[in-house]
Amino acid sequence: MSAKKGRVLYVDDEEINLVNFRETLCDEFEIFTAGSGKEALALLEREGEMALVVSDQRMPGMSGIELLSEVRATYPDTIRMIISAYTEIHELIEAINKAEVYRYFVKPWKEDQLRLTIGNAVGTYALGQEIKQFVEQGRKQMAERMRSLEGEKG
């Protein structure tokens, strides 16, 4: 298992943004990048669930909201964020309602704010996974105990 905090996918149609994001965060997180929504979905299918998917909003072919809505349907535990140079209110509302985004960042991002928010999002994902495992373990133990009690009665 990697000593890094979590797996993060960043999607943007501008290569320079992909490079900057990767260089900014690669020491702390396992960073994956994709240049389009279609490429991101193929990467997720190949690599599996990520702790966080961060997407640019305005990309050719598939918007960030459309991508994150698909991510939400397939990987509901994955945290989702939008990064955009635009702050149109209808896009913000759609991102919140349709894709249930964790945060909407405005480009250009502030490195310290981005690092902190991504750390918090990855931490939230990790905590959610621990809770799921704990609950599942409790269910298994309860089922075993019930079987044991039924065996004693029989």
Side-chain angles (χ1 to χ4, degrees):
M1 176 161 244
S2 173
K4 295 182 182 182
K5 291 183 181 179
R7 295 168 13 120
V8 177
L9 169 58
Y10 179 55
V11 187
D12 198 314
D13 59 324
E14 295 181 38
E15 181 67 27
I16 189 66
N17 291 333
L18 297 174
V19 170
N20 287 339
F21 189 92
R22 185 182 307 111
E23 288 180 3
T24 299
L25 299 165
C26 69
D27 290 340
E28 296 175 60
F29 306 99
E30 187 177 357
I31 302 295
F32 296 82
T33 58
S36 69
K38 184 178 178 180
E39 187 181 324
L41 293 173
L43 188 145
L44 286 166
E45 190 172 312
R46 185 175 65 249
E47 296 291 335
E49 185 172 40
M50 300 283 161
L52 172 65
V53 176
V54 182
S55 180
D56 183 29
Q57 168 54 11
R58 293 191 179 177
M59 299 181 293
M62 181 184 295
S63 73
I65 294 168
E66 291 169 331
L67 168 63
L68 295 180
S69 293
E70 288 197 35
V71 169
R72 177 179 166 246
T74 308
Y75 306 99
D77 294 340
T78 295
I79 306 291
R80 297 163 301 278
M81 284 177 40
I82 292 274
I83 291 185
S84 182
Y86 306 94
T87 58
E88 295 179 20
I89 192 70
H90 73 278
E91 286 183 354
L92 291 168
I93 292 168
E94 188 177 10
I96 291 165
N97 292 338
K98 191 173 180 184
E100 294 183 2
V101 298
Y102 178 84
R103 179 83 188 259
Y104 194 110
F105 257 94
V106 178
K107 287 180 185 175
W109 60 71
K110 292 181 178 155
E111 187 175 319
D112 57 338
Q113 246 185 350
L114 183 68
R115 186 181 311 277
L116 178 64
T117 301
I118 287 178
N120 288 341
V122 169
T124 298
Y125 172 83
L127 184 59
Q129 295 305 297
E130 286 180 31
I131 291 169
K132 267 177 81 170
Q133 289 174 350
F134 181 75
V135 168
E136 185 59 33
Q137 183 181 12
R139 284 187 181 137
K140 287 179 182 176
Q141 288 174 346
M142 181 63 79
E144 288 173 14
R145 182 71 179 136
M146 293 300 288
R147 282 193 296 274
S148 172
L149 289 173
E150 287 172 2
E152 291 175 11
K153 288 181 180 180

